[in-house]
Amino acid sequence: MNAADSKKIRLVMSLRKAGIRDTTVLSAIERVPRDHFIPEAMQDQAYEDIAVPIGLGQTISQPFVVAKMTEALELNDRHKVLEIGTGTGYQACVLSKICRRVYTIERHKPLHDIAENNFKELGLRNITTLCGDGMKGWPKIHGIEQAPFDRIIVTAAAREKPPEKLIEQLKVGGIMVAPVGESGKQMLKRYKKESADTYAISDIIPVRFVPLLPDIAKDGARDEIQEEVMA
Ligand code: SAH
């Protein structure tokens, strides 16, 4: 066993201790090399249970939050999942180990490119990436509609509620997990779509995410810097 493997096992043990019970989620995390998704200079923190800066004012999510969100999605291998906020692709990679296909959108082109390259290097063929504004949902591409999705995960925080378009693109019976609230007062929420126009909402845990922002980011523009850690 190499050093990264033993660090990974220690991380999974700490997630279990912190209350993550779903063995499918724990095993997916154990199979994802988080060091691939982290900049060279921060490699020593790859298997710590913390969020780490990935450039452009963004962060790779904290493993505990990734585990908690993945668990809340109640995924299986038939599910088609939409992720908003690819970053460098860590969460998408964890999802891809459990579900059938992941569609993921990132508004920063440089991050989108890094994620795409990571997926290629790791040979992950069930992830489709897009550089665009995830607040508008997954667009029809070459006349092909991918919505509705079985599950939706939003990894950047909306101020009041997730964009209407995302609820619209969720299947009836589907689950969406999304952080909501202003900086310092965010709550991770679970939305279960019960009919075409009703859904049940429940709170999961307090979190701190970077904000969900509209439009594709201008070349090299940084967003407001925030750390994504448990509140
Ligand atoms: N899922 C990532 C977390 C990245 S941080 C991981 O596994 O580490 C959240 C990301 O959401 C940032 O990269 C940010 O640029 C992106 N984001 C914010 N608003 C967005 C939007 N409207 N559409 C797509 N991506 C968005």
Side-chain angles (χ1 to χ4, degrees):
M1 194 191 296
N2 61 32
D5 281 343
S6 56
K7 281 189 203 162
K8 217 186 290 170
I9 287 170
R10 219 176 315 138
L11 171 64
V12 169
M13 277 166 59
S14 79
L15 296 179
R16 201 188 308 234
K17 225 174 174 173
I20 305 299
R21 291 277 171 266
D22 189 330
T23 51
T24 314
V25 173
L26 291 168
S27 131
I29 289 194
E30 198 173 328
R31 282 178 290 144
V32 174
R34 192 169 184 252
D35 50 307
H36 260 78
F37 301 90
I38 291 197
E40 207 55 57
M42 317 292 263
Q43 281 298 319
D44 56 326
Q45 296 175 40
Y47 293 99
E48 302 295 320
D49 189 17
I50 50 173
V52 177
I54 52 174
L56 299 164
Q58 308 304 321
T59 52
I60 174 172
S61 296
Q62 181 191 350
F64 176 75
V65 177
V66 169
K68 198 78 190 164
M69 292 177 93
T70 310
E71 197 172 56
L73 286 172
E74 298 173 27
L75 286 181
N76 68 42
D77 58 5
R78 295 182 306 278
H79 285 153
K80 175 156 95 168
V81 182
L82 172 64
E83 179 194 34
I84 309 303
T86 320
T88 56
Y90 178 59
Q91 171 80 70
C93 181
V94 171
L95 296 170
S96 79
K97 301 283 180 199
I98 309 175
C99 69
R100 179 165 60 85
R101 183 157 279 281
V102 181
Y103 293 82
T104 181
I105 310 180
E106 170 57 51
R107 65 186 288 279
H108 278 287
K109 179 80 166 79
L111 293 176
H112 162 270
D113 292 348
I114 290 171
E116 208 168 44
N117 196 48
N118 285 337
F119 302 147
K120 207 176 288 166
E121 266 179 29
L122 294 170
L124 301 168
R125 278 186 261 278
N126 62 341
I127 306 178
T128 308
T129 60
L130 180 73
C131 181
D133 177 3
M135 292 172 84
K136 298 185 180 133
W138 190 270
K140 222 187 224 182
I141 300 173
H142 305 309
I144 299 171
E145 185 73 274
Q146 294 301 342
F149 296 90
D150 299 290
R151 301 289 187 259
I152 298 181
I153 174 169
V154 188
T155 67
R159 281 200 150 231
E160 286 167 21
K161 57 180 186 149
E164 216 47 59
K165 190 72 191 169
L166 297 182
I167 303 255
E168 205 182 295
Q169 291 200 338
L170 185 63
K171 252 184 210 169
V172 172
I175 299 170
M176 170 161 76
V177 172
V180 173
E182 287 167 37
S183 167
K185 294 188 240 170
Q186 295 171 5
M187 180 56 77
L188 186 61
K189 290 181 178 279
R190 175 185 190 270
Y191 299 78
K192 176 103 195 249
K193 188 160 172 176
E194 294 184 323
S195 75
D197 47 16
T198 58
Y199 47 87
I201 312 176
S202 52
D203 289 351
I204 304 175
I205 45 166
V207 282
R208 211 190 291 178
F209 274 85
V210 296
L212 187 65
L213 298 171
D215 307 321
I216 293 182
K218 291 205 184 73
D219 252 2
R222 285 176 68 86
D223 299 334
E224 179 191 342
I225 298 176
Q226 281 182 321
E227 255 184 278
E228 180 206 320
V229 287
M230 277 283 290

